[in-house]
């Protein structure tokens, strides 16, 4: 006959094994956490959509700067075409030109999509990384009405944002597919071979495209909901009224 203590012992042993297995499993890898910005007085003049657009623009520019760093690391010959003292110095110059909305001299006065087309032309001989990043940034800012911060008096054109996302898709495809006169890629970026699979450039570009598409949808929804709210207000003023009872 089974001892009365045998069953509790089995249960306790099973629980002990589970506890040991849980302790032996690796701890989750820290992946950071959401960092919220400190409140600023200027936010009092921003709607929710204004704030969303401002944050999205900041993130998109940061993505472009990360891509510039990665492209320079894979294509160091590009910054060496300039008078920059090094990769970091070259990036500082590009970022300053973008922040101040200054034209980039090698782009010959071209802006927006015209500058992007020139930066991706096979015959372009100057620093292609700087020209490409500057042209993409200029195109994005132009699509946002020439601004990087947005307030209550500002409006966004959803179609322009949508078009910017499609332009970037085309530019990424051209960057991957076009070849120079020597038959080499315009810039080394993503790479897939037998020993390596590096798609980090595509993922970063994808984030920018996704933010543009989301902001375009939010902008469209903002105006659509404004119309619906107006109609609801008219209906409410007509039907949702108390009637006299005496």
């Amino acid at each position: 006959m089974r001892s009365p203590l045998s069953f509790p012992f089995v249960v306790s042993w099973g629980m002990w094994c589970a506890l040991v297995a849980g302790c032996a499993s690796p701890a989750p890898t820290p992946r950071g956490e959401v960092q919220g910005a400190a409140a600023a007085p200027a936010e009092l003049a921003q709607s929710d959509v204004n704030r969303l657009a401002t944050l999205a623009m900041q993130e998109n520019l940061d993505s472009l700067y990360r891509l510039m760093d990665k492209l320079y690391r894979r294509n160091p010959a590009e910054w060496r075409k300039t008078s920059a003292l090094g990769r970091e110095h070259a990036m500082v110059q590009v970022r300053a030109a973008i922040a101040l909305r200054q034209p980039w001299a090698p782009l010959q006065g071209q802006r927006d999509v015209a500058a992007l087309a020139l930066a991706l032309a096979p015959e372009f001989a100057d620093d292609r990384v700087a020209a490409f990043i500057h042209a993409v940034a200029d195109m994005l800012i132009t699509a946002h009405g020439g601004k990087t911060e947005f307030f209550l008096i500002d409006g966004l054109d959803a179609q322009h944002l949508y078009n910017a996302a499609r332009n970037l898709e085309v530019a990424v495809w051209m960057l991957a597919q076009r070849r120079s006169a020597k038959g080499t890629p315009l810039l080394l970026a993503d790479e897939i071979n037998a020993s390596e699979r590096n798609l980090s450039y595509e993922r970063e570009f994808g984030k920018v495209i996704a933010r543009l598409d989301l902001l375009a949808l939010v902008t469209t929804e903002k105006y659509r909901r404004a119309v619906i709210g107006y109609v609801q207000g008219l209906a409410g003023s007509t039907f949702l009224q108390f009637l006299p009872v005496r």
Side-chain angles (χ1 to χ4, degrees):
M1 180 179 297
R2 178 178 294 180
S3 168
L5 298 177
S6 60
F7 182 73
F9 175 77
V10 172
V11 173
S12 298
W13 179 251
M15 292 176 63
W16 173 253
C17 290
L19 179 62
V20 171
C23 293
S25 61
T29 303
R31 298 184 183 274
E33 59 184 22
V34 176
Q35 298 292 332
E43 292 182 40
L44 296 175
Q46 290 181 318
S47 67
D48 290 346
V49 175
N50 293 150
R51 185 61 182 161
L52 175 63
T54 299
L55 291 175
M57 174 58 78
Q58 292 173 354
E59 289 296 319
N60 284 340
L61 290 177
D62 285 344
S63 286
L64 291 183
Y65 299 147
R66 282 191 291 271
L67 285 162
M68 177 167 56
D69 185 28
K70 292 164 68 67
L71 287 169
Y72 269 142
R73 289 177 185 274
R74 288 214 68 191
N75 304 270
E78 296 302 315
W79 67 259
R80 293 193 177 106
K81 296 176 182 178
T82 72
S83 60
L85 302 177
R87 178 177 54 84
E88 293 286 348
H89 185 212
M91 291 193 296
V92 167
Q93 292 178 325
V94 177
R95 292 184 64 152
I98 292 172
L100 297 174
R101 298 285 285 143
Q102 294 175 339
W104 193 246
L107 290 173
Q108 305 169 16
Q110 300 293 334
R111 305 298 294 259
D112 194 7
V113 292
L116 191 54
L118 179 58
L120 291 171
E123 63 274 14
F124 186 79
D126 288 285
D127 179 353
R128 194 184 298 275
V129 172
F132 177 67
I133 295 299
H134 187 281
V136 171
D138 192 66
M139 186 266 294
L140 294 184
I141 296 173
T142 300
H144 287 74
K147 299 181 179 180
T148 57
E149 289 186 285
F150 307 93
F151 299 94
L152 293 172
I153 60 173
D154 299 321
L156 290 171
D157 189 306
Q159 189 62 47
H160 290 169
L161 299 173
Y162 177 87
N163 292 347
R166 306 291 76 77
N167 288 342
L168 189 53
E169 287 176 338
V170 172
V172 173
W173 184 89
M174 293 168 67
L175 185 65
Q177 299 298 323
R178 279 191 175 177
R179 295 293 183 267
S180 67
K182 299 179 180 179
T184 58
L186 298 183
L187 290 172
L188 295 176
D190 288 329
E191 185 174 7
I192 301 177
N193 54 46
S195 60
E196 185 179 10
R197 183 179 178 87
N198 179 11
L199 298 177
S200 59
Y201 299 84
E202 181 179 326
R203 286 195 296 271
E204 198 68 52
F205 279 122
K207 292 178 184 179
V208 179
I209 293 168
R211 292 187 198 109
L212 290 169
D213 279 334
L214 177 59
L215 186 56
L217 288 173
V218 169
T219 302
T220 301
E221 185 72 6
K222 169 188 174 182
Y223 296 118
R224 190 180 71 86
R225 291 303 304 176
V227 173
I228 292 175
Y230 177 73
V231 174
Q232 288 174 337
L234 291 178
S237 64
T238 303
F239 299 108
L240 301 180
Q241 294 183 5
F242 291 112
L243 300 176
V245 294
R246 63 175 179 173

